[in-house]
Amino acid sequence: AADAAMYHAKTLGRNNVQFYSEELNQVVHQHLLLEASLSRAIRNGELVLGYQPKVDLRTGKVVGAEALVRWQHPVDGIIAPDIFIPVAEQTGLIIPLGDWVLDEACATLHALAAVGIEDFVIAVNLSARQLRQRRFVNRLADTLARHGVPAHRLELEVTESQLMDHPEEARDALAQLKLLGVRLSIDDFGTGYSSLSHLQKFPVDCIKIDRSFLGGGTDPDDGHEVITRAIIALGHNLKLQVIAEGVETIEQLTFLRDHDCDQMQGYYFSPALAQDGLQEMLRRDARLPM
Ligand code: C2E
Ligand code: MG
Ligand code: MG
Ligand code: MG
């Protein structure tokens, strides 16, 4: 409906500047409300991070976690990032929001190190808009230093489609981050139409197979498995690690293991956990049954 209203307003609006559909008005109004309350939420500490474990498929060991932001709204309860990240990206709020996420993830890495958990990586999702910021690398270096966290324990995930919006610029920004020493991965891989020549030039460590390619894992002829296998082979040929996200079933897990995928994350093993839940899991050395 939003798109329709937008289209309507554009086509009619060309000859009629006064035109403003009621529907469009509503959409803009809701957007502004969301923007104002999100801005307040960042300042009031209403954001929280969940940590979804990432598991090594050869040892079953938890080797890292992806930080996923949630908004704990005082009235509406927990709001998922798919609702507010797009608004944050459009309004520029992604910069303070992203800074908060990076700071919080580094604080967690510091807290884990303090209890002896040091061979562990936290991955943070990064928007292209953060990547394009001037002095982003310097500011990130400051954040790591402030928490006493070595760069190699932080991973940054950028989606393939965002990288492909401005591939040359993205490559240069990633190269600077690589010099700093953080790990880099391409998120939602397979959905962003990157040409192979670009893929080879992005200085990343890992690709994450988008969960839309995993399929149910029960029908070998549905085409998903061919794509998953091809992505794993491509990644390994480029000397990259490959992780599958959104793994929900034992069939998917078995398939990934049989085809030499390096890591997995998904509800089959664990959803995102609060920081103390993650710490408890690591302390127990909980493993994926082999
Ligand atoms: P993503 O980075 O691809 O994250 C994976 C999403 O899949 C997460 O949703 C996660 O909860 C969900 N997921 C994990 N395992 C399973 C599973 O087994 N089955 C299914 N169906 N889903 C699973 P979430 O937390 O709602 O995040 C959605 C997206 O929001 C993320 O996609 C990421 O693009 C974005 N996002 C989350 N946190 C941040 C952040 O701090 N900054 C930025 N820029 N984006 C973020
Ligand atoms: Mg991600
Ligand atoms: Mg993803
Ligand atoms: Mg996604």
Side-chain angles (χ1 to χ4, degrees):
D3 284 345
M6 202 67 84
Y7 175 75
H8 208 53
K10 268 191 197 149
T11 44
L12 294 179
R14 207 166 289 142
N15 303 319
N16 177 4
V17 267
Q18 265 93 52
F19 177 80
Y20 204 63
S21 88
E22 187 48 38
E23 207 173 346
L24 179 59
N25 206 342
Q26 283 286 323
V27 170
V28 170
H29 185 66
Q30 275 170 19
H31 188 92
L32 289 174
L33 280 182
L34 191 53
E35 179 182 355
S37 56
L38 179 58
S39 168
R40 198 164 359 93
I42 298 168
R43 281 178 279 120
N44 288 358
E46 291 172 22
L47 300 181
V48 285
L49 291 185
Y51 297 93
Q52 185 173 43
K54 294 187 182 186
V55 175
D56 183 305
L57 282 171
R58 288 173 198 94
T59 61
K61 205 173 144 60
V62 178
V63 290
E66 175 174 10
L68 294 160
V69 69
R70 278 95 184 78
W71 176 1
Q72 208 140 28
H73 192 281
V75 179
D76 297 335
I78 304 234
I79 304 176
D82 288 331
I83 309 285
F84 60 88
I85 290 290
V87 175
E89 281 173 346
Q90 285 163 34
T91 57
L93 283 174
I94 195 67
I95 301 298
L97 186 154
D99 284 349
W100 180 84
V101 171
L102 284 165
D103 197 73
E104 181 72 7
C106 287
T108 296
L109 281 167
H110 177 84
L112 292 176
V115 294
I117 301 164
E118 287 180 296
D119 51 348
F120 190 78
V121 174
I122 292 183
V124 163
N125 292 286
L126 204 70
S127 291
R129 194 149 170 181
Q130 290 174 273
L131 203 59
R132 277 202 298 275
Q133 245 184 124
R134 303 208 325 112
R135 296 189 42 81
F136 176 71
V137 182
N138 300 61
R139 292 176 50 236
L140 180 61
D142 288 347
T143 305
L144 288 163
R146 189 154 23 84
H147 291 280
V149 170
H152 68 267
R153 300 195 47 212
L154 183 70
E155 177 168 326
L156 301 174
E157 299 186 0
V158 190
T159 65
E160 184 189 25
S161 49
Q162 291 209 9
L163 288 175
M164 289 310 294
D165 279 347
H166 302 278
E168 260 81 35
E169 247 180 76
R171 184 196 57 203
D172 294 346
L174 293 179
Q176 283 189 46
L177 286 166
K178 204 59 238 172
L179 282 177
L180 178 62
V182 294
R183 270 176 61 89
L184 299 172
S185 63
I186 304 181
D187 205 349
D188 300 350
F189 189 80
T191 62
Y193 309 102
S194 49
S195 71
L196 294 183
S197 66
H198 276 121
L199 180 60
Q200 208 175 11
K201 287 179 195 147
F202 292 137
V204 298
D205 304 279
C206 178
I207 52 184
K208 301 190 75 174
I209 307 175
D210 190 73
R211 72 165 172 273
S212 61
F213 295 118
L214 288 191
T218 43
D219 177 6
D221 300 320
D222 67 4
H224 291 300
E225 305 200 334
V226 179
I227 295 178
T228 300
R229 257 180 9 231
I231 294 177
I232 295 171
L234 174 66
H236 286 170
N237 281 323
L238 293 173
K239 306 273 185 290
L240 305 177
Q241 284 203 319
V242 182
I243 179 166
E245 63 177 3
V247 178
E248 294 181 351
T249 67
I250 183 79
E251 288 81 11
Q252 292 172 330
L253 179 68
T254 307
F255 179 84
L256 292 165
R257 258 195 196 126
D258 288 350
H259 292 89
D260 211 26
C261 188
D262 302 288
Q263 294 178 14
M264 69 77 93
Q265 67 181 97
Y267 298 158
Y268 181 78
F269 181 72
S270 173
L273 306 170
Q275 190 197 314
D276 52 352
L278 173 72
Q279 195 165 319
E280 171 59 14
M281 174 181 268
L282 294 170
R283 198 193 54 75
R284 280 189 291 123
D285 193 20
R287 290 181 188 230
L288 180 72
M290 299 307 284

